[in-house]
Amino acid sequence: MQSMPRYPHQTRLLQQVKTAPKPLQAWLLAQGSLTKQLTTFANGQFRVQVIANGWQKLDTVTAQRLGCRPQQLAWVRESFLFGSSHLPWVKARSIIPMPSLQKQARIFRYIRQRPMGKILFFRQNPTGQRWCDKTQLGYARQSCYLWQGCQVLVEEIFLDAFQQFLNKTAE
């Protein structure tokens, strides 16, 4: 895992990450596919459980991060990511605005239980910006990617089960 982000707002991002527990900080800053990183960390064990997917209207903050107008329709997929535990490690939410779904990103509507990261990072690392925050469920990172000319926002919340696993492996 790389520890330094390549985003223009690095200082603000680093300040946000510093509030997270030490073992989790590197995960919040890591670049590339979280799918690949979790699979490696869990010795090859990884699975996705889709919770919901469908059309939703963008809220103001999400629309701003995607450079869209509020209330624009977007395809939203929510899922749990599991490693080597029966409890989910990450709650993921992928948001793709309708204009992107009319281009290459339409593939994301049909991936079912496959990890989104396997497609998003298959041939290249998409560019984008990142935000981190503490939510009710845990520390979250939000990454806005430009993938093959399409906007994709991915939110990953590191759940308590993952933080407990990190603490055990650090001991």
Side-chain angles (χ1 to χ4, degrees):
M1 251 183 304
Q2 296 174 336
S3 60
M4 289 298 294
R6 289 179 284 163
Y7 303 106
H9 54 292
Q10 289 181 358
T11 305
R12 186 169 162 260
L13 175 65
L14 291 172
Q15 289 171 345
Q16 292 170 323
V17 170
K18 284 182 183 178
T19 65
K22 284 274 187 218
L24 190 57
Q25 290 179 10
W27 288 89
L28 291 169
L29 292 172
Q31 297 177 39
S33 170
L34 182 62
T35 298
K36 186 175 182 179
Q37 293 160 4
L38 288 174
T39 303
T40 300
F41 187 64
N43 297 315
Q45 296 181 45
F46 181 83
R47 72 179 174 92
V48 175
Q49 177 187 352
V50 176
I51 304 165
N53 58 45
W55 295 105
Q56 291 182 17
K57 290 183 180 180
L58 296 175
D59 62 64
T60 304
V61 173
T62 303
Q64 183 180 25
R65 290 186 175 168
L66 283 164
C68 299
R69 58 178 169 64
Q71 301 299 310
Q72 179 174 322
L73 279 178
W75 184 259
V76 179
R77 171 182 154 158
E78 293 185 25
S79 57
F80 284 124
L81 309 181
F82 293 82
S84 55
S85 169
H86 67 283
L87 297 173
W89 281 359
V90 175
K91 182 177 182 189
R93 186 170 176 245
S94 306
I95 304 163
I96 307 162
M98 187 182 287
S100 289
L101 282 172
Q102 295 168 346
K103 299 178 184 175
Q104 297 286 359
R106 68 184 174 276
I107 191 171
F108 293 118
R109 283 190 59 196
Y110 305 103
I111 62 173
R112 297 189 179 109
Q113 301 293 329
R114 291 190 322 216
M116 189 166 177
K118 284 196 175 181
I119 297 168
L120 194 61
F121 293 95
F122 177 65
R123 292 198 176 121
Q124 65 194 25
N125 280 335
T127 59
Q129 293 186 329
R130 174 157 309 150
W131 300 268
C132 290
D133 202 5
K134 174 106 171 78
T135 71
Q136 290 180 332
L137 295 177
Y139 281 87
R141 68 181 195 178
Q142 243 187 10
S143 306
C144 185
Y145 296 110
L146 183 59
W147 177 81
Q148 297 189 16
C150 304
Q151 293 280 12
V152 179
L153 185 72
V154 178
E155 179 182 62
E156 297 147 332
I157 302 171
F158 294 90
L159 302 172
D160 191 49
F162 182 69
Q163 291 183 47
Q164 289 177 10
F165 190 83
L166 279 178
N167 292 338
K168 284 181 188 177
T169 58
E171 294 173 357

